[in-house]
Amino acid sequence: MKVLRLVTAAAVTSTLALLPLATAGPAAGAEASAAARDRPLRQLAADDRLRVGTAVDTTALAEDAPYRRIAGSEFSSVTPENVMKWEVIEPRRGEYDYAEADRLVRFAERHGQKVRGHVLVWHSQLPSWLTEGDFTKEELREILRRHVTDTVRHFKGRIWHWDVVNEAFNEDGTLRDSIWLRELGPGYIADAFRWAHEADPRAKLFYNDYNIEWAGPKSDAVLDLVRTLRAEGVPVDGVGFQGHLGIQYGLPGGVAANFQRFDALGVQTAVTEADVRMVMPADDEKLRTQAEGYRLLLDACLRARHCVSFTVWGFTDKYSWVPDTFEGEGAANILDETYRPKPAYRALQAALAGRARPTTSG
Ligand code: G3I
């Protein structure tokens, strides 16, 4: 068994443990053993060779001291929520701006954290010079090759996982009609993995998507893609299950079994963007269901031999992307707007403290 060595402050007591639950949530609160309650998530997860991560809003990291303290103490990996995206790092053609991303990488290194690089090839958050430009197919292919190569090279040796291709499928399992599919054809996916591997052979390369946590046409398609690519020798190392859930749809079933299907391919798996939103206002019952949602994602990961990280998409309701995207919804994170732990936080602690994991090659 391989144990992750994490650099953590000695005998860290979670400062969150000192705070009361955001609401009365006696069932979820009582679940956590006393021993679990006073340890940060990263320490509990280290016992089980799992990195527990968060997406980071770098503006909050710079300006909000409690946010910074919790980001550094609770998590053992970080994902830039926005600052490694193409529109940020190359806002004008040929003008690169890695400043914010570099700052986050330095923060991670100071805190003994790994970095999940997010994201190289996506249909969203592309710079306007690219989406509005008039390029030939050959030019676009070269632009994409350069973007993947330059970005991975810039961070070479400092990125643990790259989300190389993000959200390439529709819900019915067909490929998404993106600029990349339209202009380059489906081969862009294999190309991107090959270019990324060439630029940093040690980084683990992931395909990442949402609504693939359970079995269905979309996760079947991703499974097929990964199986095919690996059979062709394309360097795909892992699959990221984003884990954006909403309790109003009911919690998904069969998640652990679905993770096992990917596990059986021999690829690494990861929960990369967990959050569980609800129709507002929140109440105790919704928060308990939310806690179950987080727990089922973490359980699926813990049961999969090759699941190496569990990342939440932000840790506080203060800075969530959800209310801006889904009107009337929110409260999706594990801490409330004032950083008080919610039942979901306690459920993660309890799950990490109470699990038994199959052994793995790591
Ligand atoms: O940076 C600009 C700022 O200059 C401008 O003044 C402001 C005005 O709206 O917008 C800012 O950009 C916003 C950006 O986040 C940074 O805050 C965009 O409008 C906003 O659309 C963007 O949202 C991000 C979203 O991806 C875009 O699709 C969310 O923060 C981010 O959490 C979200 O993350 C994605 C993952 O990358 C992939 N999986 C799904 C996940 C949730 O949508």
Side-chain angles (χ1 to χ4, degrees):
M1 179 175 16
K2 200 166 156 188
V3 177
L4 287 176
R5 265 188 230 117
L6 300 180
V7 183
T8 51
V12 175
T13 293
S14 173
T15 45
L16 299 173
L18 307 174
L19 296 168
L21 269 183
T23 67
E31 269 177 37
S33 69
R37 271 201 297 272
D38 64 4
R39 295 176 71 197
L41 299 175
R42 66 182 288 169
Q43 279 201 357
L44 293 165
D47 292 350
D48 214 5
R49 70 202 179 279
L50 181 80
R51 293 272 172 173
V52 61
T54 182
V56 173
D57 174 332
T58 51
T59 305
L61 194 72
E63 294 173 359
D64 183 334
Y67 181 97
R68 193 161 53 244
R69 184 170 46 73
I70 296 167
S73 61
E74 283 290 327
F75 301 98
S76 47
S77 83
V78 292
T79 306
E81 184 173 357
N82 284 298
V83 296
M84 275 185 201
K85 291 173 179 173
W86 200 334
E87 69 174 7
V88 176
I89 62 177
E90 195 182 0
R92 280 161 299 278
R93 193 170 183 195
E95 279 181 35
Y96 299 94
D97 183 358
Y98 298 113
E100 285 292 305
D102 287 344
R103 247 192 292 282
L104 178 60
V105 172
R106 286 197 297 274
F107 176 89
E109 289 168 350
R110 281 200 306 278
H111 290 83
Q113 296 168 320
K114 299 273 193 190
V115 180
R116 296 201 80 262
H118 178 81
V119 51
L120 295 172
V121 185
W122 194 25
H123 60 274
S124 181
Q125 288 181 284
L126 296 171
S128 54
W129 64 261
L130 171 61
T131 51
E132 289 161 20
D134 186 17
F135 301 109
T136 65
K137 291 180 193 315
E138 292 67 33
E139 284 169 337
L140 260 183
R141 186 164 189 275
E142 179 53 19
I143 286 169
L144 185 63
R145 191 195 64 75
R146 271 198 69 157
H147 169 68
V148 171
T149 304
D150 291 353
T151 308
V152 175
R153 261 197 208 140
H154 176 84
F155 297 103
K156 185 174 180 185
R158 304 172 85 187
I159 301 292
W160 183 41
H161 294 168
W162 268 113
D163 289 333
V164 177
V165 176
N166 195 38
E167 302 173 6
F169 286 97
N170 297 310
E171 297 304 303
D172 67 1
T174 56
L175 281 172
R176 182 192 289 271
D177 177 28
S178 68
I179 180 173
W180 308 120
L181 182 68
R182 269 194 312 278
E183 302 297 326
L184 309 183
Y188 81 87
I189 298 178
D191 285 343
F193 279 96
R194 290 194 174 107
W195 295 327
H197 181 68
E198 220 167 277
D200 186 353
R202 298 189 64 185
K204 296 289 181 203
L205 306 182
F206 277 64
Y207 176 82
N208 192 51
D209 215 326
Y210 60 88
N211 290 357
I212 59 165
E213 295 77 17
W214 53 90
K218 193 172 185 179
S219 66
D220 291 353
V222 174
L223 192 74
D224 271 359
L225 171 80
V226 171
R227 189 188 286 123
T228 307
L229 290 177
R230 283 169 65 88
E232 290 168 356
V234 179
V236 182
D237 301 302
V239 174
F241 302 87
Q242 292 186 5
H244 294 291
L245 304 182
I247 62 166
Q248 65 274 27
Y249 308 115
L251 298 179
V255 174
N258 188 47
F259 275 47
Q260 307 285 340
R261 300 198 295 166
F262 287 85
D263 214 54
L265 289 183
V267 285
Q268 295 189 340
T269 52
V271 175
T272 54
E273 308 186 11
D275 58 15
V276 185
R277 61 187 188 272
M278 60 189 69
V279 174
M280 299 300 278
D283 61 30
D284 283 5
E285 197 188 329
K286 290 181 189 173
L287 292 176
R288 275 196 288 272
T289 307
Q290 173 182 61
E292 280 170 38
Y294 273 99
R295 181 153 189 164
L296 84 83
L297 292 170
L298 178 56
D299 273 347
C301 177
L302 288 170
R303 284 165 193 264
R305 227 170 258 279
H306 305 109
C307 187
V308 291
S309 70
F310 178 88
T311 292
V312 292
W313 203 242
F315 54 86
T316 165
D317 293 338
K318 192 172 177 183
Y319 300 112
S320 170
W321 67 287
V322 168
D324 293 337
T325 306
F326 302 101
E327 206 185 326
E329 297 180 37
N333 302 97
I334 58 175
L335 308 181
D336 75 5
E337 305 84 349
T338 63
Y339 299 110
R340 284 186 307 169
K342 293 157 69 176
Y345 173 80
R346 300 292 185 217
L348 294 184
Q349 281 188 312
L352 289 169
R355 78 277 167 264
R357 251 199 127 181
T359 52
T360 181
S361 55

